[in-house]
Amino acid sequence: MSDSDRYYKPQTSKDAMRQIEMLFNKYKDAPLTQELVDYHQNLVNRLKTDIMQAAKSENVPTRITNLESMINVMTRWLQIRLSGKPFNGEMSHFKYVSNSTKPVFKRRVHKIKGSQGHRSSRH
């Protein structure tokens, strides 16, 4: 496997932002170590330099505001975690979404008459 096949190459700035959002949501609850802080700082630096420059060259104003929002969430995450508090939320569509704002649907699942394993959900 060559080095060119090992690394992810985004085609647009939005593609790169999605990838960083996915990576951030994977490690946001991990125990804080120096390696994680360095990795996080590297991602924030990439957002501020390379991806910001690509977004400005693509000339899409909403993408630039989403990128700034993403940078703010990621810097706030580091401040919260370094103070010893948990980060209650995640990044969705390049913005912070708290865990308490997601809708929770109540379900009562029961079997309808019969021997089959079919289940019905009545709300």
Side-chain angles (χ1 to χ4, degrees):
M1 178 185 277
S2 67
D3 282 342
S4 62
D5 295 335
R6 286 183 58 196
Y7 301 107
Y8 176 73
K9 296 176 192 156
Q11 302 300 318
T12 62
S13 61
K14 186 174 185 177
D15 203 17
M17 288 166 60
R18 279 190 194 133
Q19 185 70 19
I20 290 178
E21 179 183 61
M22 182 194 65
L23 291 170
F24 174 76
N25 284 332
K26 282 185 180 179
Y27 72 75
K28 67 180 177 61
D29 294 325
L32 207 57
T33 61
Q34 186 59 43
E35 290 83 15
L36 181 63
V37 171
D38 293 341
Y39 181 74
H40 179 76
Q41 292 288 49
N42 184 20
L43 288 180
V44 172
N45 190 28
R46 293 265 180 195
L47 286 172
K48 288 180 180 177
T49 56
D50 303 340
I51 300 172
M52 181 65 85
Q53 182 180 8
K56 286 181 180 177
S57 68
E58 290 170 2
N59 203 15
V60 180
T62 57
R63 192 162 303 157
I64 295 171
T65 58
N66 286 341
L67 188 57
E68 290 169 352
S69 158
M70 216 172 150
I71 292 169
N72 289 337
V73 169
M74 291 178 78
T75 53
R76 205 171 69 227
W77 173 84
L78 188 60
Q79 293 169 351
I80 290 170
R81 290 299 307 270
L82 286 175
S83 68
K85 298 176 184 168
F87 184 76
N88 294 328
E90 64 181 6
M91 198 180 307
S92 176
H93 300 289
F94 314 121
K95 293 176 177 55
Y96 170 77
V97 177
S98 71
N99 289 340
S100 62
T101 60
K102 289 185 177 180
V104 178
F105 299 102
K106 292 183 179 179
R107 287 184 338 155
R108 278 196 243 162
V109 178
H110 66 76
K111 285 188 177 180
I112 295 181
K113 297 177 188 173
S115 61
Q116 294 87 9
H118 300 294
R119 293 177 181 263
S120 172
S121 177
R122 295 192 180 167
H123 299 283

